[in-house]
Amino acid sequence: MKSTITDVAKLAGVSIKTVSRVINREDSVTEDTQNRVAAAVKQLNYQPNQAARNLKGTNSYTLGFVYDNPNAYYIIQMQEGILAECHERGYELIIHPCNAKQVDIIDEIKSMAKRSQLAGLVISPPLSETPEVLAAIEELNLSYVRIIPGSHDSVESTPCVFVHDQDAAYKITEHLIQQGHTDIAFIGGDKEHRSTDERLNGYMAALKAYQITFKTDYIIDGQYTFDSGATGAKNLLGLEQKPTAIFCCNDEIAAGALFAARLSGFQIPQQLAIAGFEDSPFSRQTLPQLTTAAQPTNMIARKAAGLLISHIAAKRSKAKTIQTTVHQHFEPQLLIRESTQLNSQSAKSSKN
Amino acid sequence: MKSTITDVAKLAGVSIKTVSRVINREDSVTEDTQNRVAAAVKQLNYQPNQAARNLKGTNSYTLGFVYDNPNAYYIIQMQEGILAECHERGYELIIHPCNAKQVDIIDEIKSMAKRSQLAGLVISPPLSETPEVLAAIEELNLSYVRIIPGSHDSVESTPCVFVHDQDAAYKITEHLIQQGHTDIAFIGGDKEHRSTDERLNGYMAALKAYQITFKTDYIIDGQYTFDSGATGAKNLLGLEQKPTAIFCCNDEIAAGALFAARLSGFQIPQQLAIAGFEDSPFSRQTLPQLTTAAQPTNMIARKAAGLLISHIAAKRSKAKTIQTTVHQHFEPQLLIRESTQLNSQSAKSSKN
DNA sequence: ATTAACAATGACAACGCTGTCAATAGAAAC
DNA sequence: GTTTCTATTGACAGCGTTGTCATTGTTAAT
């Protein structure tokens, strides 16, 4: 039933080593031989045994994904992207949820990396922003990619995928401006998260570009929670000069703001436009649905995994020039829905 | 740096086989020897190499988790539970998201099971309710556990963890009754999901137990969506004799119902009580927060993985009596929050 | 024509662990 | 005291793959 490299070799009439060569795309194999082997592989439905491949100490075909993030939706997207890439490139993935605040987090990561003989690690925010964690991995001499909000100006010599929150925030703000708004407020997320700053910067940049002077009253500190959005909106709507639009730092905040505003009798979007950020399920679980910005998390994760695998391969083949830094830009997508759009067909809401 | 079983054996002054015995908790090892080995393991910070363990064809220490579920929150909980158990018992986990509607799903599962040399599979709903998938796994002669809504009356001879949605629904309904309600409506989820029926049964049972005659008007078909909740509530509140409480089949529906009710000017919970189901993040993202029922998904998953591992171990040791069927009951937890509770301190809402 | 160089392939060991079976030692039975 | 049993331990092969190095055949250089 289960075929091994030996079976393939026999069928193809070559040695197991040659089969191995074909599998691993090494050079020095005749095209003819390659074809014969490929045919045999197909016929026997042969799958290399991962355990055996990993055993030969030198290299491994297992990646790790370490995360600490309360947002299940984000993680699942991430994970599925990484898995897709791993699958395609013949790697396995070990997933490791953890708690950044835990004392022995460093040991834990080290221990898992060792136990599973990882070839590399994919690290998502906020872990990817934690210097101690990065230092620990560096020390293990393990390859890794980080996914981080920001732009590549700031950054050192390790593979990274940058998520351009700032651009996305700019786009959203711009959209609000184009809808005719000039009194646009901003409700922020947790200050420790780099993303909050990024998004605020995008907001400011858009205002500036359109020569709208911003009011400090309109910038509200908050957290990434529903309550924070509700409170923020209540405060904003109690101002002398109310804003006509609110850009919320994520969808949860926006959902809270929307709820509070509607309860206070505001018509959305007629009297107040509200935009979120992230394209989480929350943005579709409101009435009306929220305009938001989507980062292609799945693709970002996939790209990150791809980068990592290539990096590992380069390292393996002792390439003199390992291209250590790789920049990757992802265009965020603006999802315009009913919460900001005045005219249009989408008024019939409710039935999707 | 990285120590192997040989290093441990040397340090402990025993053979590698003995170390192996201690690691795998086989019998026939003196307590004294065990201690010596354990000490050496600790001193060297030894971790068995998983790849090598898996290599010896006969058994593997890798489990698989196959899922197809749109609910990210549920999957993450599930996954973390399984991972915790795997970690504790020295197993690894390969995660495989998939699409049940895909044509070649069966082949896909077979292929992954083979490639990763899985020792067993954990299957969650709705895949765990799909006969073809189960048949395929059966054919692979692979151990597996299923997690399914229902009770053990119905079921065959494979390890299962049953999630008693009915009991939980009963509890919620009972809670509403105890709050003084008699006009209690029900908004259901998708009909294809077994859980919808289970929850409806619980609702009916509670009404019956308290001798409340139910009105067919009060039972609304729906889907597991926010919109469905909003529409359902609107209809219910348009009835001649309005219900004073609504039990929604999950939290998304409840969030929709809550939103619609508040917009129509109803005070929650004073004029209308609303309860959800699942304890998803949605239940905390409303104003007021939703009463709901929590299934301990994490623990359920953990238990399932534990069951599977034990089952595999039994099979391995050629135990004459493999206990094939295992029933496991989990007590759902009632989370009473502001959306149903009239009196009480929790009125101060909003600030958690 | 002879040699050197290179491209393509194969033989074989090794990776770290567990299964099998043999060896030892002490206890129990004769 | 000798034999049998049992509990504890160890020696060694082998899992499926890749790395190393040797071998073959072919082409280019002399």
Side-chain angles (χ1 to χ4, degrees):
Chain A
M1 190 65 208
K2 73 182 85 171
S3 41
T4 77
I5 200 171
T6 314
D7 303 326
V8 177
K10 262 179 203 148
L11 183 60
V14 296
S15 76
I16 57 170
K17 181 62 210 189
T18 300
V19 176
S20 171
R21 286 195 179 96
V22 175
I23 301 287
N24 293 291
R25 293 189 173 71
E26 293 174 23
D27 356 304
S28 300
V29 182
T30 322
E31 208 175 308
D32 176 54
T33 313
Q34 279 184 37
N35 294 145
R36 281 218 315 289
V37 171
V41 165
K42 194 154 207 172
Q43 188 181 326
L44 296 173
N45 184 26
Y46 165 72
Q47 312 246 199
N49 179 315
Q50 292 295 340
R53 300 181 91 190
N54 287 340
L55 186 51
K56 279 234 66 71
T58 28
N59 39 1
S60 121
Y61 296 82
T62 306
L63 259 40
F65 172 41
V66 188
Y67 72 83
D68 170 25
N69 193 307
N71 185 337
Y73 181 72
Y74 180 76
I75 295 300
I76 285 279
Q77 290 279 101
M78 200 84 196
Q79 170 175 310
E80 293 188 357
I82 301 172
L83 276 170
E85 186 72 13
C86 282
H87 195 250
E88 192 171 307
R89 314 259 303 245
Y91 277 66
E92 306 217 308
L93 184 67
I94 298 293
I95 290 168
H96 193 83
C98 64
N99 184 342
K101 274 160 285 176
Q102 215 173 296
V103 199
D104 57 346
I105 171 94
I106 305 288
D107 288 336
E108 198 182 315
I109 293 178
K110 281 187 181 175
S111 152
M112 80 150 296
K114 193 174 143 198
R115 173 164 24 92
S116 305
Q117 287 223 264
L118 298 185
L121 226 40
V122 181
I123 318 168
S124 65
L127 237 42
S128 57
E129 304 169 8
T130 313
E132 304 89 58
V133 171
L134 300 177
I137 296 162
E138 206 75 77
E139 192 186 316
L140 284 170
N141 192 29
L142 198 60
S143 303
Y144 64 97
V145 232
R146 294 180 291 157
I147 294 156
I148 42 176
S151 57
H152 41 84
D153 309 332
S154 49
V155 162
E156 333 78 283
S157 59
T158 56
C160 281
V161 174
F162 293 98
V163 180
H164 291 229
D165 282 13
Q166 183 170 335
D167 292 359
Y170 184 98
K171 281 193 175 183
I172 290 225
T173 314
E174 186 175 47
H175 161 71
L176 292 171
I177 295 169
Q178 285 167 349
Q179 293 283 315
H181 297 283
T182 53
D183 293 336
I184 304 172
F186 176 89
I187 304 179
D190 300 68
K191 275 192 167 157
E192 310 90 65
H193 286 55
R194 205 185 276 197
S195 55
T196 300
D197 266 350
E198 284 281 316
R199 293 167 196 183
L200 179 57
N201 287 342
Y203 160 82
M204 304 272 271
L207 290 190
K208 193 169 178 190
Y210 285 85
Q211 294 164 346
I212 298 174
T213 45
F214 79 94
K215 305 197 179 60
T216 39
D217 279 2
Y218 282 179
I219 299 184
I220 306 254
D221 291 338
Q223 293 137 271
Y224 284 123
T225 64
F226 182 91
D227 279 347
S228 187
T231 311
K234 215 174 290 172
N235 291 343
L236 285 168
L237 297 175
L239 289 177
E240 195 84 353
Q241 192 184 352
K242 299 177 189 27
T244 62
I246 306 178
F247 168 30
C248 301
C249 216
N250 81 349
D251 292 331
E252 283 184 56
I253 296 175
L258 177 63
F259 208 125
R262 290 202 68 173
L263 286 182
S264 306
F266 285 81
Q267 300 273 78
I268 315 290
Q270 292 79 1
Q271 295 175 281
L272 180 71
I274 294 180
F277 202 98
E278 259 178 24
D279 188 32
S280 79
F282 286 114
S283 66
R284 261 158 276 134
Q285 305 293 358
T286 56
L287 225 50
Q289 297 191 347
L290 289 168
T291 288
T292 190
Q295 301 278 12
T297 307
N298 191 296
M299 273 176 53
I300 289 170
R302 201 165 170 159
K303 189 68 202 178
L307 237 49
L308 180 56
I309 293 176
S310 300
H311 190 256
I312 291 166
K315 224 171 155 186
R316 194 124 73 202
S317 69
K318 286 151 194 155
K320 282 288 172 291
T321 12
I322 300 181
Q323 193 190 356
T324 43
T325 319
V326 195
H327 301 320
Q328 196 69 32
H329 178 92
F330 279 95
E331 197 63 35
Q333 200 190 340
L334 189 57
L335 296 175
I336 298 174
R337 294 202 279 245
E338 296 125 26
S339 74
T340 63
Q341 204 166 31
L342 279 171
N343 43 354
S344 93
Q345 73 300 350
S346 56
K348 57 178 172 148
S349 108
S350 192
K351 196 87 243 167
N352 64 328
Chain B
M1 189 65 207
K2 73 182 85 170
S3 41
T4 77
I5 201 172
T6 314
D7 303 327
V8 177
K10 262 180 203 149
L11 182 59
V14 296
S15 75
I16 58 169
K17 181 65 211 188
T18 301
V19 176
S20 170
R21 287 195 180 95
V22 174
I23 301 287
N24 293 292
R25 294 189 173 69
E26 294 175 24
D27 355 307
S28 304
V29 182
T30 322
E31 208 177 306
D32 176 54
T33 312
Q34 280 185 37
N35 294 145
R36 281 218 315 288
V37 171
V41 165
K42 193 153 207 172
Q43 189 182 326
L44 295 173
N45 184 27
Y46 167 71
Q47 311 246 197
N49 178 315
Q50 291 294 342
R53 301 181 88 192
N54 287 339
L55 187 51
K56 278 233 66 75
T58 29
N59 41 1
S60 119
Y61 295 82
T62 306
L63 260 40
F65 171 42
V66 188
Y67 72 83
D68 170 25
N69 193 308
N71 186 336
Y73 181 73
Y74 180 77
I75 295 300
I76 285 280
Q77 291 279 102
M78 199 83 195
Q79 168 175 311
E80 292 187 358
I82 301 172
L83 276 170
E85 186 72 14
C86 282
H87 195 248
E88 192 172 306
R89 313 259 304 245
Y91 277 67
E92 306 217 310
L93 185 66
I94 299 290
I95 290 168
H96 194 83
C98 63
N99 184 342
K101 274 159 284 174
Q102 212 173 299
V103 199
D104 58 345
I105 170 98
I106 305 288
D107 288 336
E108 197 182 315
I109 293 177
K110 281 188 181 175
S111 153
M112 81 152 293
K114 193 173 142 197
R115 175 164 23 93
S116 307
Q117 287 222 266
L118 298 185
L121 225 41
V122 180
I123 317 169
S124 64
L127 238 41
S128 58
E129 303 168 10
T130 313
E132 305 89 60
V133 171
L134 301 177
I137 296 163
E138 207 74 77
E139 192 186 315
L140 284 170
N141 192 29
L142 198 61
S143 303
Y144 66 96
V145 233
R146 293 179 292 157
I147 294 156
I148 42 178
S151 57
H152 41 83
D153 309 332
S154 50
V155 162
E156 332 80 285
S157 58
T158 57
C160 281
V161 173
F162 293 99
V163 181
H164 291 229
D165 282 13
Q166 184 170 335
D167 293 0
Y170 184 99
K171 282 194 174 181
I172 290 226
T173 314
E174 186 175 46
H175 161 70
L176 291 172
I177 295 170
Q178 285 168 350
Q179 293 282 316
H181 297 285
T182 53
D183 294 336
I184 304 172
F186 175 90
I187 304 179
D190 300 68
K191 276 190 166 159
E192 309 90 67
H193 286 55
R194 206 184 272 197
S195 55
T196 300
D197 266 350
E198 284 281 316
R199 293 169 196 182
L200 180 57
N201 288 342
Y203 160 81
M204 304 273 272
L207 290 189
K208 194 170 179 191
Y210 285 86
Q211 294 163 347
I212 297 174
T213 44
F214 80 92
K215 304 196 180 59
T216 38
D217 279 2
Y218 282 180
I219 299 184
I220 305 252
D221 290 338
Q223 294 139 268
Y224 284 123
T225 64
F226 182 90
D227 279 347
S228 187
T231 311
K234 215 174 289 171
N235 291 342
L236 285 167
L237 296 175
L239 289 176
E240 195 84 352
Q241 192 183 354
K242 298 175 186 31
T244 62
I246 305 178
F247 168 30
C248 301
C249 217
N250 81 350
D251 292 330
E252 282 184 57
I253 297 175
L258 177 63
F259 208 125
R262 290 203 70 173
L263 286 182
S264 306
F266 286 81
Q267 300 273 79
I268 314 290
Q270 292 80 0
Q271 296 175 281
L272 181 70
I274 293 180
F277 202 97
E278 261 180 22
D279 188 32
S280 79
F282 287 114
S283 67
R284 261 159 276 133
Q285 305 293 357
T286 57
L287 225 49
Q289 297 191 347
L290 290 167
T291 287
T292 190
Q295 300 279 12
T297 307
N298 190 296
M299 273 177 52
I300 289 171
R302 201 164 170 161
K303 188 70 203 177
L307 238 48
L308 179 57
I309 293 176
S310 300
H311 190 257
I312 291 166
K315 224 170 155 186
R316 194 124 72 202
S317 70
K318 286 151 194 156
K320 281 288 171 289
T321 13
I322 300 181
Q323 193 191 356
T324 42
T325 319
V326 195
H327 301 321
Q328 196 70 33
H329 178 93
F330 278 94
E331 197 64 34
Q333 200 190 338
L334 190 57
L335 296 176
I336 299 175
R337 295 203 276 244
E338 296 126 26
S339 75
T340 63
Q341 203 166 30
L342 279 170
N343 43 354
S344 93
Q345 73 299 349
S346 56
K348 58 178 173 149
S349 109
S350 190
K351 197 87 238 169
N352 63 334

